[in-house]
Amino acid sequence: MREDDGRDVGAVAPLEAPGGPLRDGLDVAEPGLERAATGAALGDVGGVVESVGARRASDAPLREVRAVTESTVERLASGVPLRDVLDVGAPGSWTDLDVEVRASARYRPGLLPGLAWVEGRSGSTVSSLIAATVGRLRRERGAENAVESVEPLLALALCHPDGRVRGAALARAREYPDLLPLIVVRAADWAEPVRETARELLRDVLDVDAAVALAPLILLVGRRGRGDFGVRLLGEVLRRAPGERLGPLYGSADRSVRRFAHRLAVAEGFLSPAELARAAARDGDAVIQDLCAEAVLKTVSADVGDDVLRPLLTARNPRARSSGVTALRRAGRAAEAERFLTDRSAVVRACARYVVRQLGTDPLPLYRAWCSGLGPEAGGERDTGQTRESAPGQVREPEPDTGHVREPESGQGPERGSFVPVPGAVIGLRDTGQTREPAPSQVRESEPDTGHVREPESGQGPERGSFVPVPGAVIGLAECGERADAVLLWPLLAHPVPAVRARAVAGLRLLDVVEAGRLRPLLEDPAPGVVRETGLALLPSAQELPADWLMERLGARWPRHVRVTAFRLLSAGSGIVPLRAAVELLEDPDPKLRGWAEQAVQRWHPPAGLPGGEAEVEALLDRCTHLFSSYVLRRRKWEAGVGR
């Protein structure tokens, strides 16, 4: 297929009267001209129209030249400035223009300037005549953006399907800075002469300011097969620039730009370790988090300060926190890693266990001690199955501000080991699930990033053994414990904090000590997280659960999370049970659950061993006629041995 056939499609040519290119192409200029371009000015436009063979409607005067058409190409052909037509700051606008111009050339070639016009050998094209007249009208009206019509026409020429037109337009594009984005596009052109010319021009005109502004477009075009030149040139220009000039790129909304800028900064050392730590903690992109965190780790030494470690340790993303925990050992502060043994993230807990072991401390006894302290008898309380009662001889009342249970006569808050967390009052549960005991006469505040409770004057977080962990300690025990440690997890199924109950179920699953009969009551737990973990733990033994009991929990009176988990367990069953459960939910008010049920019905096939001729199967399939074609429904019934 020839891309450059050499045709000069932009020259003036005879046009069809009704429905030809000009009639629609006269929708030019701006909305104000629709009302104001009358009199002599419109007479001039009428002369232009008549000169190219456009037909006037009956004997009435020529209707106004309408402002804007729906086509970007038509607006540029009529002389509307680039900034009024395109979102020049969006890189996709320029690549879309390139595609649209080539598409327009197939059915409206008269709108595009040809080779003769670009080279200055021909003065009149449909586009240039209309654009010149409209441009003059805009200038006469004092339009602020009234510019020469050459720039928008050159933009069309730079996207022309004829390579000779594109190449000739590049020679004139140097004079128009607003056309630099199209030079970037042409630097990845499929025609080698055009591509090489554009690359030479781009190398000459691309400075630091232009590189920063055009970085999103250069990286977008760089994804093409011939776009690597622009990316290499961008790197060369930015490497020669002062590091602070890359500031706008670090905070760009374009993820690829941020990645490129941070890779360049790491390679060239533009950012300090503290700045890299803040980037790892704040950026939402996982690639940048890993890139900057690894770069920080390479610089950590014994004299590293809190300005480097603190952003990592208090970051919300686990990648940065795990790097911060690893850096504690290199910084000679490995003892501080103990407080991250109960972090909410598994990777952070694993890094903390590694660092703690380097000190010669086994984390398993710590986990066992913490989980023992979370049991029903912790703090002198005993489990009644429903509520938690104080042991005889002890009178406790809830502390209204913290939710801790304290001795009313002391007035000093809880002493060490004298309280347990109660529902909804666990400090720091949002991030790490850890709580700290406030020392007497000291006021503690929550650390916003990790959820640890710290002393405001220290800023170092909790010291060793100074906090009571909650959910993280439970799952941490399962991650490094033995099956015998399940004896510490079973009592936690009745813990008042939902997160502790959920982690206890997850821990039992990790230790492979799941007992369906003991976990089944948790399928009715009011906390969705507990029910989800229970369903996941019971999934391998779903057939051991009574199907009728699970079917009852599909009813509308049950919470959504209970119904979803019950349906998941029933779908893991065998025989007719999955079909029965799916049909039960076909009229469920929840659209997502109803959709899952429809898919389950369509996937169901009679399993081997199902007795043929089951009347219930036929009745259930008859309720699903809207989900099958008549042929598929007959086939499914035939497989089940019914409906013959």
Side-chain angles (χ1 to χ4, degrees):
M1 180 180 67
R2 293 188 304 169
E3 296 172 340
D4 301 333
D5 55 8
R7 292 179 299 166
D8 187 359
V9 297
V12 177
L15 304 176
E16 300 177 2
L22 182 61
R23 189 188 67 173
D24 297 330
L26 280 177
D27 301 341
V28 294
E30 60 184 7
L33 294 179
E34 196 167 311
R35 299 180 298 273
T38 57
L42 278 177
D44 294 339
V45 177
V48 173
V49 175
E50 290 177 344
S51 68
V52 292
R55 186 185 68 173
R56 302 169 73 99
S58 67
D59 295 329
L62 178 69
R63 304 183 67 87
E64 304 89 10
V65 179
R66 290 181 306 190
V68 186
T69 67
E70 296 180 357
S71 170
T72 300
V73 177
E74 290 174 341
R75 298 178 66 188
L76 291 175
S78 63
V80 181
L82 281 169
R83 295 182 178 275
D84 292 350
V85 178
L86 301 177
D87 182 4
V88 294
S93 298
W94 300 101
T95 54
D96 291 345
L97 174 65
D98 188 37
V99 173
E100 186 174 349
V101 171
R102 292 200 303 273
S104 298
R106 298 178 181 177
Y107 59 92
R108 303 186 69 180
L111 286 177
L112 304 183
L115 180 61
W117 179 87
V118 175
E119 293 179 344
R121 295 185 284 106
S122 173
S124 297
T125 66
V126 173
S127 298
S128 62
L129 288 173
I130 297 175
T133 302
V134 173
R136 179 167 58 81
L137 292 176
R138 293 167 64 86
R139 289 191 295 275
E140 289 176 358
R141 296 194 58 212
E144 296 179 359
N145 56 357
V147 296
E148 295 294 336
S149 60
V150 175
E151 184 179 79
L153 294 181
L154 274 180
L156 296 178
L158 286 170
C159 303
H160 201 284
D162 190 333
R164 294 169 297 177
V165 177
R166 297 195 304 275
L170 284 171
R172 301 180 60 181
R174 182 190 295 268
E175 306 170 9
Y176 300 93
D178 287 348
L179 295 179
L180 185 55
L182 288 177
I183 298 177
V184 173
V185 176
R186 295 279 68 85
D189 198 276
W190 57 88
E192 184 177 358
V194 178
R195 182 169 66 247
E196 294 302 325
T197 302
R199 290 180 176 183
E200 293 178 5
L201 180 58
L202 186 61
R203 186 181 293 277
D204 292 340
V205 301
L206 191 66
D207 55 13
V208 176
D209 293 334
V212 172
L214 293 175
L217 177 60
I218 293 175
L219 294 175
L220 177 62
V221 176
R223 301 174 188 172
R224 299 181 176 181
R226 293 168 290 270
D228 56 340
F229 171 83
V231 178
R232 291 198 306 269
L233 181 60
L234 177 65
E236 293 174 6
V237 173
L238 294 180
R239 283 187 182 92
R240 298 193 299 264
E244 59 271 13
R245 298 295 297 274
L246 275 66
L249 302 183
Y250 298 141
S252 174
D254 191 326
R255 182 178 59 184
S256 62
V257 174
R258 297 201 313 277
R259 289 180 179 180
F260 180 86
H262 282 93
R263 287 192 182 105
L264 186 63
V266 170
E268 300 298 323
F270 288 153
L271 294 178
S272 66
E275 291 172 328
L276 289 172
R278 288 194 294 270
R282 295 175 181 175
D283 201 287
D285 183 59
V287 173
I288 297 176
Q289 293 169 10
D290 290 340
L291 176 70
C292 295
E294 291 176 3
V296 172
L297 284 179
K298 295 178 181 178
T299 66
V300 172
S301 60
D303 58 349
V304 67
D306 281 346
D307 60 336
V308 176
L309 290 180
R310 184 170 180 79
L312 296 176
L313 295 175
T314 59
R316 297 188 65 85
N317 67 81
R319 289 178 172 83
R321 286 205 311 281
S322 61
S323 298
V325 173
T326 304
L328 287 174
R329 177 172 175 264
R330 301 184 183 181
R333 297 163 53 177
E336 297 180 27
E338 183 179 313
R339 66 188 176 102
F340 291 93
L341 289 173
T342 58
D343 193 271
R344 58 187 168 89
S345 169
V347 66
V348 178
R349 292 193 299 268
C351 289
R353 287 194 292 269
Y354 166 77
V355 174
V356 168
R357 288 189 180 108
Q358 303 308 306
L359 292 176
T361 303
D362 185 4
L364 183 56
L366 295 176
Y367 282 126
R368 288 169 175 167
W370 290 332
C371 291
S372 298
L374 289 174
E377 301 300 328
E381 296 184 357
R382 53 190 175 89
D383 188 8
T384 63
Q386 298 292 331
T387 60
R388 305 181 69 185
E389 301 178 358
S390 300
Q394 291 183 333
V395 179
R396 304 289 181 92
E397 63 178 11
E399 186 173 344
D401 292 330
T402 66
H404 296 142
V405 179
R406 63 177 175 85
E407 300 284 351
E409 63 276 8
S410 69
Q412 298 297 327
E415 298 180 358
R416 182 178 179 87
S418 64
F419 71 98
V420 291
V422 297
V426 180
I427 302 176
L429 187 58
R430 175 173 62 103
D431 287 314
T432 63
Q434 299 179 355
T435 54
R436 289 189 59 196
E437 305 177 24
S441 71
Q442 287 185 335
V443 178
R444 303 292 180 90
E445 63 180 11
S446 177
E447 189 171 307
D449 292 323
T450 65
H452 295 137
V453 181
R454 61 177 175 84
E455 300 181 15
E457 62 275 10
S458 69
Q460 299 298 324
E463 298 178 358
R464 177 175 177 142
S466 64
F467 65 98
V468 177
V470 232
V474 179
I475 192 65
L477 173 64
E479 289 170 341
C480 65
E482 304 170 353
R483 297 190 68 182
D485 292 317
V487 68
L488 297 175
L489 299 182
W490 285 111
L492 299 182
L493 299 180
H495 199 277
V497 178
V500 174
R501 298 198 300 273
R503 300 302 188 279
V505 175
L508 292 171
R509 177 172 58 86
L510 287 179
L511 295 175
D512 194 22
V513 290
V514 173
E515 297 181 17
R518 299 180 67 177
L519 290 182
R520 192 180 78 175
L522 291 179
L523 291 174
E524 301 176 352
D525 196 280
V530 178
V531 177
R532 283 194 297 268
E533 286 291 350
T534 305
L536 187 61
L538 293 177
L539 201 58
S541 55
Q543 297 186 17
E544 300 178 14
L545 300 173
D548 294 340
W549 185 87
L550 291 175
M551 287 291 295
E552 292 178 6
R553 275 124 193 97
L554 296 178
R557 69 183 184 90
W558 291 95
R560 183 182 185 277
H561 60 274
V562 174
R563 293 158 57 215
V564 168
T565 303
F567 176 60
R568 183 172 297 155
L569 292 172
L570 287 167
S571 299
S574 60
I576 197 176
V577 173
L579 177 63
R580 187 186 301 149
V583 173
E584 185 70 21
L585 294 177
L586 287 180
E587 299 180 358
D588 194 90
D590 186 278
K592 185 173 291 187
L593 193 55
R594 188 170 61 249
W596 291 339
E598 292 174 352
Q599 295 174 10
V601 170
Q602 293 170 336
R603 290 194 304 265
W604 185 85
H605 288 271
L610 182 69
E614 283 279 349
E616 184 182 3
V617 174
E618 184 176 11
L620 291 174
L621 291 176
D622 286 340
R623 295 172 57 183
C624 311
T625 55
H626 62 289
L627 300 177
F628 300 102
S629 66
S630 57
Y631 169 77
V632 173
L633 183 60
R634 289 196 305 270
R635 178 77 180 181
R636 202 62 49 87
K637 288 184 177 181
W638 177 83
E639 292 175 359
V642 297
R644 297 177 179 175

